[in-house]
Amino acid sequence: KTDSLVIAVDRAVHYHALCSCARFHQGAFTASVEHGRAGIALYERAAKEPNARAAMLGEDAGLGCQEWAGLSLGFLGYPDAASEQIRPLVAAASEPGRGYALASARNYAARVHQLRQEPAEARIQAEEAVRLASERGYAHHRAVGRILRGWALAALGHGAIGVDEIQEGLETHQQTGAACDRPYYL
């Protein structure tokens, strides 16, 4: 019975993470935050250890809920709330054996700093994402980190270098087959 409950909660958290992501990409930011927070509440009540599926896929739906809710808060015009939502994300993803989650978290943190017009902080987060993704072979997160680092460099006055970094990141991003966030990165 306990295993059934764990599986049910896990599925519910994944459901909310996917709905939060979908609502974000539809521009329904309030609904995205609501799904993200619902998933986070379930996740916090459940065991915090990653399950076998999360470890296998490299994704953690509970962290995904935090990521999408944080970005959505930023897009709704609540930069401080977005920062508060993302802050514990990097710490949680920093646990041993969670490299993929950490690369993802660093990129989301960089995006929140981008929304807050904090290029120096965005650059730090993006550089960490690129470093980790390069070491571990996470092509998608490396590409996203390069795009965000390029933006930060350009915003810090290094326009030519930043644009080159963005273009190289966009090329790699396209090669991974990812397309959902491409308009944002452009």
Side-chain angles (χ1 to χ4, degrees):
K1 197 169 190 176
T2 303
D3 288 343
S4 297
L5 181 59
V6 169
I7 291 169
V9 170
D10 179 60
R11 287 182 179 164
V13 173
H14 276 80
Y15 164 80
H16 285 295
L18 292 170
C19 287
S20 185
C21 174
R23 298 300 185 260
F24 173 84
H25 286 99
Q26 293 167 350
F29 303 121
T30 300
S32 176
V33 171
E34 290 168 0
H35 277 289
R37 288 183 173 162
I40 292 164
L42 286 169
Y43 184 74
E44 288 175 348
R45 281 195 298 265
K48 294 185 181 182
E49 295 179 24
N51 63 40
R53 227 176 335 156
M56 219 173 24
L57 300 174
E59 293 287 348
D60 183 317
L63 298 182
C65 288
Q66 288 180 294
E67 292 168 344
W68 292 115
L71 278 182
S72 294
L73 287 165
F75 275 77
L76 284 168
Y78 300 107
D80 293 338
S83 185
E84 287 300 314
Q85 185 71 54
I86 293 292
R87 185 173 292 120
L89 176 65
V90 173
S94 295
E95 295 172 5
R98 304 194 72 187
Y100 190 86
L102 182 56
S104 178
R106 293 282 189 183
N107 278 330
Y108 278 92
R111 285 175 73 174
V112 167
H113 287 299
Q114 183 184 47
L115 292 172
R116 293 171 55 89
Q117 295 297 305
E118 299 170 339
E121 291 84 356
R123 180 181 178 183
I124 291 167
Q125 295 297 329
E127 285 180 349
E128 281 300 307
V130 169
R131 182 192 60 75
L132 183 60
S134 296
E135 287 174 2
R136 307 255 177 116
Y138 307 142
H140 176 262
H141 287 308
R142 183 175 183 272
V144 170
R146 291 189 73 190
I147 293 165
L148 296 167
R149 180 172 63 188
W151 171 85
L153 288 167
L156 290 167
H158 308 285
I161 296 168
V163 169
D164 287 345
E165 184 82 357
I166 292 168
Q167 288 175 334
E168 290 172 18
L170 285 168
E171 287 175 25
T172 304
H173 187 258
Q174 189 169 8
Q175 291 168 2
T176 68
C180 195
D181 291 327
R182 188 166 176 80
Y184 175 84
Y185 298 137
L186 290 172

